[in-house]
Amino acid sequence: MADSGEAEILFERRGALGLVTLNRPRALNALTLAMLTAMQAQLDAWAGDAAVTRVVLRGRGGRAFCAGGDIRQIHALAKAGDHAGVDAFWRAEYGLDASVKRFAKPVISLIEGLVMGGGNGISVHGSHRVSSETYSFAMPEVGIGLFPDVGMTYVLPRLPGLTGTYLALTGARIGPGDAHAVGLATHHAPAADFDAIVEALAGGTAVDAVLAAHARPAPEPGVLVAERTRIDACFSADTVGQILARLDADGSAFAAETAALMRTRSPTSLTLVREQMRRGATLSFRQAMLTEYRMVSALMRGPDFFEGVRAAVIDKDGAPAWNPATLDGVEPGIIAAAFTPGPAPEPRFDP
């Protein structure tokens, strides 16, 4: 998916800067296991290099910073029975997210286009997130039978009000205005300035000074601000069924569209995510990452992830047959088990 002869992820030392470029533009810079492993090794090396005082992350192509983990690769590994390979992917991805979180030097993500799933994992835990005019955030995992992972168990419940729970349960996209309003982005600059930002950072100028010099006012917020009162009122309900009932009773176009969107999502994922958001509010970052590892390990044993990827990515028919098909059919024991330690030794995700 990278250009001929080029690696899927590129590393470059420019003066004081370590530059990471995700280089799968045709795949929207989705992260493979090899990319995760290579980036982990490079961050480890730069962490110990006193001459590198800051790291920049970029995605090539303009359409996406990073659309997430390569779910085609995960799906193929699982279908082939390579459970060790699937486990290695999740350990590598979550381990890399923890490394970004604990990295002692500034990590600046220059975000152009889509940033979803694993793209948020490598960016949102860093020190600076610069949105461009085409920035578009989403954690759409409930639409493929998964859940918002890569540290979103920690991040989303800490957004203002119930905005994080809304994003988790709908998978809705938001633009730079909303991202700034809730703290997902820290700066805003035109994508045309990104090369100049990289060069100034390479020259050793203080990070905040460089970003301030190129900063522009963020666009006006969108749905998260405009519908904040309604989001808080509806998404504070205890269960997904109660959330849907409040949305149905609300009568607004926003509520109707939100309820309709949620009803296309995996009932198992929705039920799991409501509990994830409840628990995440009181978990440390390390606990949140370990919780996600347990959750994803459990979902790899169920049917909805494979059906969701089939419908969205492989056959592209947009008609997943969720099992169970309704919220009432989701067994409480399945949800409880997803938060329970498994029999194998568990990784540590220390921030």
Side-chain angles (χ1 to χ4, degrees):
M1 285 293 188
D3 287 350
S4 179
E6 290 190 329
E8 294 180 333
I9 186 167
L10 308 175
F11 305 105
E12 184 180 354
R13 167 76 182 282
R14 294 192 192 177
L17 173 68
L19 177 62
V20 179
T21 304
L22 308 179
N23 191 37
R24 300 184 71 207
R26 286 181 289 168
L28 301 180
N29 296 318
L31 298 165
T32 65
L33 177 57
M35 293 167 71
L36 296 167
T37 303
M39 184 171 167
Q40 181 69 69
Q42 189 63 71
L43 284 186
D44 289 345
W46 282 337
D49 186 345
V52 174
T53 62
R54 70 283 309 269
V55 171
V56 164
L57 310 182
R58 296 188 71 175
R60 188 174 177 188
R63 293 173 59 203
F65 170 78
C66 174
D70 190 334
I71 56 175
R72 282 182 178 272
Q73 182 181 58
I74 302 165
H75 186 275
L77 289 169
K79 282 296 187 181
D82 187 358
H83 303 299
V86 174
D87 185 64
F89 184 97
W90 299 121
R91 286 175 180 254
E93 184 170 37
Y94 297 172
L96 180 59
D97 299 335
S99 292
V100 172
K101 175 74 170 175
R102 67 171 176 261
F103 204 71
K105 305 171 186 181
V107 177
I108 306 102
S109 295
L110 303 179
I111 304 174
E112 186 178 3
L114 294 173
V115 56
M116 301 192 295
N120 287 310
I122 61 172
S123 60
V124 78
H125 305 304
S127 58
H128 301 77
R129 284 92 59 195
V130 184
S131 64
S132 73
E133 61 274 25
T134 60
Y135 172 105
S136 181
F137 169 102
M139 291 298 298
E141 288 77 7
V142 287
I144 56 167
L146 208 57
F147 62 92
D149 58 346
V150 298
M152 293 302 112
T153 302
Y154 182 84
V155 171
L156 293 181
R158 288 166 174 79
L159 298 187
L162 276 298
T163 54
T165 299
Y166 161 79
L167 292 172
L169 286 172
T170 62
R173 291 188 187 183
I174 60 170
D178 275 331
H180 280 268
V182 299
L184 289 168
T186 61
H187 298 76
H188 185 71
D193 283 12
F194 281 5
D195 287 345
I197 290 173
V198 168
E199 290 309 309
L201 290 171
T205 304
V207 172
D208 289 336
V210 171
L211 298 183
H214 291 272
R216 301 290 186 275
E220 289 297 314
V223 67
L224 288 189
V225 172
E227 301 290 353
R228 169 68 188 280
T229 299
R230 186 168 280 118
I231 288 170
D232 288 353
C234 294
F235 284 83
S236 58
D238 287 339
T239 69
V240 177
Q242 290 168 357
I243 291 171
L244 288 169
R246 291 186 185 185
L247 289 168
D248 291 340
D250 180 87
S252 67
F254 168 80
E257 292 167 4
T258 300
L261 179 60
M262 289 177 62
R263 288 188 167 104
T264 69
R265 306 316 200 181
S266 160
T268 298
S269 289
L270 289 173
T271 307
L272 187 70
V273 169
R274 184 67 193 93
E275 181 63 18
Q276 174 195 11
M277 292 296 102
R278 181 181 294 108
R279 293 181 182 227
T282 60
L283 297 178
S284 68
F285 180 82
R286 185 190 69 80
Q287 291 169 332
M289 296 304 297
L290 181 56
T291 295
E292 292 180 1
Y293 177 76
R294 292 170 180 171
M295 292 168 68
V296 80
S297 298
L299 287 186
M300 291 299 99
R301 299 190 290 269
D304 273 8
F305 170 71
F306 303 100
E307 175 62 9
V309 174
R310 180 206 64 76
V313 178
I314 297 174
D315 296 338
K316 298 183 179 179
D317 58 26
W322 303 124
N323 182 18
T326 65
L327 290 168
D328 290 342
V330 179
E331 297 181 15
I334 296 294
I335 302 304
F339 294 94
T340 303
E346 295 182 321
R348 293 184 61 89
F349 300 107
D350 294 321

